[in-house]
Amino acid sequence: MEFFLNGGTALTEDELAAVGDVHGRRVLQLACSVGDEALMFAQRGAAVTAVDIAPAHLMTGRAKAEALGVDVAFIEQDMTRLDPEITGFDVIYISWGGICWVPDITEWMQLVADRLNPGGVLVISEHHPLWEILTVRGENALSVNGDYFDNGRDGYADPLKAPQITQTIGTPDVPHRSFVWSISSIVTGVLAAGLTLRSLQEYAESEMYPGLGEQAMHIPGTYLLTASR
Ligand SMILES: C[S@@+](CC[C@H](N)C(=O)[O-])C[C@H]1O[C@@H](n2cnc3c(N)ncnc32)[C@H](O)[C@@H]1O
């Protein structure tokens, strides 16, 4: 709370640039969790709708919004089946650990594209799919624990990452089944939905590969994609 009250932001400079000026714009955050980013958009003057499937997370988000005195519509929704009235957005945003819950990227991209206003932007700031399938075994040692080319075929539960993810999400009622969406499947989904790809960046994030050493800076940890309707 102190962080937010002192003007802190849950977004990086590049994410802020991708989203653009949100003042007076309608923003939808998907898989918003406890709402940190949604609150930040609201603090910057956006009309924000934030959806998540976990009621406990939404309650936390609402409590934070009340304490901060900002208005965010926290709505319990499955982001793969949004109600028809959740539409007409200038920005749709999803980040960190959201896309891995989508079982069909083509269908989902179309659903998202349909909820954007003409000229509206989709911003995805996510864990890199390569990171999803790699596990650090020691300095400069990685093992492959998933299939980069799975593209939603089976989904998987990494035995090393799953307990950590379940702990983070804290919702045993949402079964953990991750889907790996390769960069090419994401781009293809964007284009198939009729969106225009504006930018795609990949970033090294050494803290995502703890114990790997310097080599962590030579592989991608995250990506940031912007597309417009
Ligand atoms: C790792 S968290 C996202 C964290 C968020 N990006 C942030 O930085 O605060 C993933 C969220 O996805 C939500 N989730 C999982 N499946 C979902 C679905 N089908 N529809 C909506 N939310 C979903 C979970 O409840 C959880 O809050």
Side-chain angles (χ1 to χ4, degrees), residues 4 8-11 16 22 35-45:
F4 277 111
T9 170
L11 300 183
L16 287 169
V22 293
D36 289 355
E37 292 149 324
L39 293 168
M40 202 228 65
F41 293 133
Q43 278 185 319
R44 288 170 182 241

Side-chain angles (χ1 to χ4, degrees), residues 17-206:
V19 171
D21 182 7
V22 293
H23 190 86
R25 306 186 85 202
R26 293 196 71 218
V27 175
L28 170 65
Q29 181 170 8
L30 298 169
C32 67
S33 185
V34 293
D36 289 355
E37 292 149 324
L39 293 168
M40 202 228 65
F41 293 133
Q43 278 185 319
R44 288 170 182 241
V48 185
T49 301
V51 307
D52 200 280
I53 207 166
H57 287 182
L58 295 166
M59 275 172 60
T60 305
R62 287 183 198 114
K64 285 188 193 176
E66 198 182 336
L68 285 171
V70 294
D71 202 16
V72 172
F74 283 103
I75 303 177
E76 187 180 334
Q77 285 274 303
D78 181 342
M79 66 170 161
T80 64
R81 290 186 219 113
L82 292 174
D83 287 349
E85 65 271 18
I86 300 183
T87 192
F89 295 96
D90 303 305
V91 177
I92 298 183
Y93 182 81
I94 185 165
S95 74
W96 318 112
I99 291 271
C100 64
W101 297 96
V102 172
D104 185 325
I105 204 72
T106 311
E107 258 180 34
W108 180 81
M109 282 290 184
Q110 191 61 62
L111 178 144
V112 168
D114 291 347
R115 308 308 167 102
L116 276 175
N117 288 329
V121 291
L122 165 67
V123 177
I124 302 175
S125 185
E126 267 292 355
H127 302 140
H128 199 284
L130 191 62
W131 173 83
E132 299 275 3
I133 62 150
L134 295 178
T135 301
V136 177
R137 297 290 175 191
E139 192 160 339
N140 202 13
L142 290 166
S143 65
V144 178
N145 291 306
D147 183 355
Y148 183 82
F149 302 105
D150 182 272
N151 285 334
R153 204 169 46 232
D154 299 322
Y156 80 106
D158 180 329
L160 293 178
K161 283 183 190 152
Q164 190 192 339
I165 292 168
T166 306
Q167 194 185 20
T168 313
I169 291 176
T171 48
D173 48 325
V174 181
H176 171 69
R177 192 159 163 249
S178 271
F179 297 92
V180 177
W181 295 112
S182 66
I183 293 293
S184 57
S185 70
I186 297 285
V187 169
T188 304
V190 162
L191 300 178
L195 298 174
T196 302
L197 182 64
R198 296 289 177 192
S199 67
L200 174 60
Q201 290 156 273
E202 294 169 289
Y203 301 89
E205 302 281 354
S206 58

